[in-house]
Amino acid sequence: MIRIPCPFCGTRDHSEFSYGGDGSIQYPALDAPVQDWHDAVFQRENICGVQTETWQHVNGCRMWLLVDRDTMTHEIHDVRPAHPGMAKVLGVTS
Amino acid sequence: MSASRLTKGGRIDRSRKVTFSWDGKTFEGFAGDTLASALMASGEQVLGRSFKYHRPRGIMSAGVEESGAIVTLGKGDRVEPNAKATMQELFDGLSASGQNAWPNVRCDVGAVLGLFGRFFSAGFYYKTFMGLPPFEWGRGTGIWMQYEKLIRKAAGMGEASREADPDSYDHVHAFCDMLVVGSGPAGLNAALTAAQQGKDVILVEQDFELGGDLLNQSDPAVETQRAELIDALQSAGVRIMTRTTTFGLYDYGTAGLLERVTDHVTAPSQDAPRQRFWTVRAGATVLATGALERTIAFTNNDRPGVMTAAAARTYLNRYGVLPGQNIVLCTNNDSAYVSASELAAAGAKVTVVDLRTDVGADQLGAMQTAGVAVKTGLVPLKALGGKTVSGVQLAREAGTGWAAAETLSCDLLLVSGGWSPVVNLLSHRGAKPAWDADLACFLPASCSENVVMAGSATGHWQAADCAASGIAAAKVAMGEDAQTPTLGGWDTPIKPVYEVRLPGSKTKSFVDPQHDVTCDDVRLAHQEGFVSVEHLKRYTTLGMATDQGKMGNVIGLALMAEAMGKDIPAVGTTRFRPPYTPIAIGALAGRNVGTHFKVMRRTPLHDWNLRHGATMTDAGLWHRPWYFARKGETINDAYIREATTVRETLGICDVSSLGKIAVQGPDASEFLNRVYTNAFAKLAVGKARYGIMLRDDGMVMDDGTTWRLSENDFLMTTTTTGAGRVMVFLEELLQTRWPDLKVHICSVSDQWAGVSIAGPQTRDVIAACMEDPDTVSADNLPFMGVKKIRLKGGIDGLIARISFSGELAYEIYVPSDYGEPMMDLLWSETEPRGGCLYGLEALGALRIEKGHVTGAELDGRVTIDDAGLGKMASTKKSFIGSTLRQRPELLREDRPQLVGIFPKDRSQTFNGGALLCKHGDNIGFGEGWVTACTHSPALGHWIGLGYIAGGHEAWQGKSVTATDPVRQGDVEVEIVSPHMFDPKGERMHG
């Protein structure tokens, strides 16, 4: 079981969270060309090692988080709020 | 083996007799016994029959590695098969029986299979019965399936109960600074060291007593030392858990524990769970899990009366049972000598046979004093005797192989082939154990997590070293430096031996007795090209299932290495997997059984609905009214009456389960405008609008109405089942993509009780319930209007004039606690007018007649165009999914599109899920499918909704078959517009 240190609630079991997806994706503007949207929605790296992921503390504070997790070891290197304003308030930046 | 109970000694309480039954007969033992020790003391020798060959099996060990005395515990609905008699604490009324045998384990007809043993080598059944002519010429796997039934009957283990489990199980969560697994000298000292430094420690022991190998010693000083340690642990505040197995180790210091609460109790309290499943999150973990003694593979090494050497010492010193009178003890290491002298002191004739010729003079001198004969340079070649052992033929080294030597008679043959540290839990963490050639065992590798091993589990063979290593491990786990004692601890080094056989001979020597895997099976696997140990394991079943390689793993690897001409480290080891010992499914389920299997959500009107005759049904997690049957009505009578009443007068339906999300803030309208496909930016205050949301990939996600309550305050409704999904997506958008939007969202689903009131007389009823009846006049509340209202009695709420049924209809929401008063009020005006309450079945009929979509149609695979709602996708703005919904494949005109379906013969019916096929072409996937069907009271016949390629215009005048081969067969249908009733929507605008 992964334990995720939520910046708002403290360390909790991963069963309180739900996995979002690749946190490195920058979603294009709504009116961006189809190719940009295609890449953002469907193209994914299958990373062996540390990747940035989004997780939501869905059974907790409901905040979306950016989690740097090693896909081989489950080791978590960093957790910060996905909302840049929240990250700033907490003094962590991505 | 002629075992006997001694008159004194051991940890059993001779003043407390315990009565139990074995195979229907009554036996006696003492408090402190295990089932195995009590049966041994009673002279029972054959306790099991082997998996494949039905060979007689007796007690092989005294612990968790037991592979012979595997029995069935309990009876009726409390049967537990495949239990190890060595692990079951004896209690009054315990009922146990032999398994995999007929009529019983002592005389088993199935043993005839053993005569054909050479045919049953690894993979025999598959090779023989699967895909091989003449058994299966061109017939797929059909015949194999028949053989498999017979094979499963002949081979196997105990039978589980087919009745529901009457016991309860609990899930418990715990946290600690340090988890210590195992309570031998290493574990006790590790726990004490940490606790004395103020750490919160949990000490876990699978046995019913603390002490590990300290319990097996004859020296009274050891017992004093053990008692002092336990006292110190208790005063230091260590949380001690006995009868608890740490079955698995997971990420981040999480451990899975199984606590057996009542498995040793005659009449357990009704309130106590049978077992507890613990999830422990530990800051640090010390594994003092001990080591298991290995056997040696030789012919008939599985005969009842062949046992590990240390087990004999356990039965002697802990249970007061002398396991044999005439004992031969074969060893290749020092550990067995103490067993030999203690057994001799208890009155047995003991001969030690040691493979090593360089045994120390001290050792030999001690044996002479104890009256133990020692023969060196010899190993066991074959156990003699039928159902039990009567002697052993020995072998001596001859060149690189073995040659037969003398024969000794005995009634108990003890074997010590060396010790294997229990590295299973560390292996769960992915740390590969490393072979140590000097100690001839796998030692735990270091682990990147804060998991430290100690004691004999790290290759310390002396109790004092184990204690020191426990202290060191606790310090390391706390981040301190510590000196670990030197490994090993034997005067004369071990001389590894794994298998003894004469060159070229075929043998029945067992590597994994639990699965009847022989040395020849391992060689056969190698011959057939299985070069990886992981493949070897799966092909031969060596070390699989409940055994997890406890007894046979190292021998199997040594044989594989020999066959490949490599050494053991080059072959490697398989990965041990959780659970370390089996766990009842009930413990995994815990309290999540029956009605607690999933969450049940009730609306605020639940009790009111039940009082008014509702029959409930599940809608996702929700319990919703299905129909309100009157006396003598079937479900069909009821829903048809309800739907008819709605169209003719009016009806009330509980819609509280719809998702409700408050969307507030200066950018709320901009946010909704981006999320919905249609325009929301200019929705007027006091108006509602039906909206559709897409996913990023352009598929429909959900639909519902959103009401503008004020400039910056919206109430969004979602489908019942989509509520959670929509909320999560909106939160993701606001927090990760559009953090600049000033919007706050909050789920208010549970805050409101809601009803839909539909039918021509609705306005009269609602007006009669209002403090100001004028509020809901056609002018004051036009179609899609929204208002804050006050019902009679001062109940404040919201009303929106929206319709799902196609009738003049309103939705009224009041705070949850006012739900029942609202219902009483509405019902008092509805009932006298001949109105009704209606449930999901009638709601379904009404919406199908109108061609309105729900989750059955919006199943995640359809576009907004497929659902016939394409005109709701704005062309003037961008929104979520607006780009990817333009992918060429999604714009094809021959995509399946929403249609209505009539049976050609109007008296016929068809099923939801039926495939829509071209007439006469009902092979394959068809052209579409049926999503919903109902009797239509308005039209007077069966109707349905579904999807079909190209939509209804493409199928005008063409014959279509709704084919449902499993349930009903074929029905000829007509494809029509999905708007089957009042297509212009005149009724709801009335």
Side-chain angles (χ1 to χ4, degrees), chain B residues 18-29 38-39 42-44 90:
Chain B
V18 173
T19 308
F20 67 101
S21 86
W22 164 247
D23 260 355
K25 281 196 291 182
T26 303
F27 287 83
E28 270 189 357
L39 285 171
S42 306
E44 290 294 304
L90 203 66

Side-chain angles (χ1 to χ4, degrees), chain B residues 33-50:
Chain B
D33 260 328
T34 61
L35 176 60
S37 66
L39 285 171
M40 182 188 279
S42 306
E44 290 294 304
Q45 298 184 28
V46 180
L47 301 185
R49 284 284 167 169
S50 76

Side-chain angles (χ1 to χ4, degrees), chain B residues 7-242:
Chain B
T7 50
K8 57 181 175 45
R11 309 184 61 82
I12 48 168
D13 182 352
R14 287 181 178 74
S15 67
R16 283 168 60 205
K17 279 192 180 162
V18 173
T19 308
F20 67 101
S21 86
W22 164 247
D23 260 355
K25 281 196 291 182
T26 303
F27 287 83
E28 270 189 357
F30 295 114
D33 260 328
T34 61
L35 176 60
S37 66
L39 285 171
M40 182 188 279
S42 306
E44 290 294 304
Q45 298 184 28
V46 180
L47 301 185
R49 284 284 167 169
S50 76
F51 183 62
K52 267 201 285 188
Y53 308 123
H54 290 248
R55 288 167 71 94
R57 293 281 163 81
I59 296 165
M60 295 180 164
S61 74
V64 71
E65 72 274 33
E66 180 60 28
S67 289
I70 297 176
V71 302
T72 297
L73 298 175
K75 46 192 169 190
D77 52 7
R78 285 196 164 87
V79 151
E80 173 146 348
N82 313 328
K84 290 161 175 90
T86 49
M87 295 302 287
Q88 177 58 47
E89 193 175 345
L90 203 66
F91 63 91
D92 250 321
L94 170 65
S95 161
S97 51
Q99 59 183 40
N100 196 31
W102 186 86
N104 60 54
V105 288
R106 291 164 297 284
C107 172
D108 175 22
V109 170
V112 69
L113 285 168
L115 299 177
F116 303 99
R118 66 194 180 92
F119 297 115
F120 297 159
S121 53
F124 162 76
Y125 295 112
Y126 300 100
K127 288 174 197 161
T128 309
F129 294 112
M130 233 172 149
L132 203 72
F135 293 105
E136 291 218 42
W137 196 269
R139 290 207 217 171
T141 55
I143 293 184
W144 160 249
M145 304 298 274
Q146 297 307 314
Y147 283 118
E148 201 191 9
K149 284 181 193 160
L150 292 172
I151 294 165
R152 283 199 184 282
K153 233 181 173 144
M157 303 190 115
E159 270 190 53
S161 166
R162 292 184 179 273
E163 295 165 58
D165 190 335
D167 291 314
S168 62
Y169 301 81
D170 271 341
H171 284 178
V172 192
H173 295 267
F175 299 79
C176 62
D177 297 329
M178 188 183 292
L179 174 71
V180 179
V181 182
S183 69
L188 292 176
N189 281 289
L192 188 60
T193 305
Q196 284 176 342
Q197 293 202 24
K199 300 291 180 195
D200 178 13
V201 179
I202 295 179
L203 173 66
V204 181
E205 170 55 56
Q206 64 187 354
D207 203 298
F208 52 91
E209 282 194 282
L210 295 178
D213 198 43
L214 298 178
L215 300 170
N216 305 324
Q217 311 295 318
S218 57
D219 183 355
V222 172
E223 177 55 20
T224 314
Q225 185 198 353
R226 186 189 79 96
E228 282 169 6
L229 272 169
I230 293 170
D231 279 351
L233 287 175
Q234 279 163 345
S235 18
V238 172
R239 288 185 271 169
I240 296 171
M241 300 176 68
T242 52

Side-chain angles (χ1 to χ4, degrees), chain B residues 283-361:
Chain B
T285 307
V286 172
L287 300 175
T289 43
L292 299 175
E293 194 170 24
R294 289 198 294 271
T295 181
I296 298 170
F298 54 88
T299 297
N300 297 339
N301 63 337
D302 63 327
R303 274 281 177 272
V306 180
M307 198 160 71
T308 57
R313 191 172 182 226
T314 300
Y315 288 107
L316 177 68
N317 290 336
R318 181 167 178 190
Y319 302 112
V321 183
L322 183 60
Q325 302 298 329
N326 182 14
I327 303 172
V328 172
L329 193 164
C330 299
T331 185
N332 63 348
N333 65 80
D334 284 358
S335 72
Y337 280 84
V338 63
S339 301
S341 53
E342 286 176 356
L343 288 163
K349 173 177 177 266
V350 183
T351 308
V352 168
V353 173
D354 197 327
L355 170 61
R356 302 169 301 175
T357 49
D358 54 351
V359 185

Side-chain angles (χ1 to χ4, degrees), chain B residues 245-250 256-258 277-278 425 428 578-581 583:
Chain B
T245 303
T246 306
F247 63 78
L249 222 55
Y250 304 90
L257 273 51
L258 186 76
F277 179 106
W278 289 76
L425 290 173
H428 296 172
Y580 178 64
T581 50
I583 306 170

Side-chain angles (χ1 to χ4, degrees), chain B residues 459-519:
Chain B
H460 294 100
W461 305 141
Q462 301 298 340
D465 288 348
C466 288
S469 107
I471 293 167
K475 286 184 174 166
V476 170
M478 291 185 292
E480 299 169 23
D481 288 334
Q483 193 66 37
T484 313
T486 330
L487 294 186
W490 290 330
D491 295 338
T492 314
I494 183 172
K495 181 168 182 181
V497 55
Y498 305 103
E499 185 197 16
V500 182
R501 63 167 179 145
L502 298 180
S505 64
K506 291 258 173 205
T507 63
K508 265 277 172 287
S509 46
F510 287 84
V511 183
D512 175 355
Q514 220 178 104
H515 300 105
D516 268 356
V517 180
T518 66
C519 297

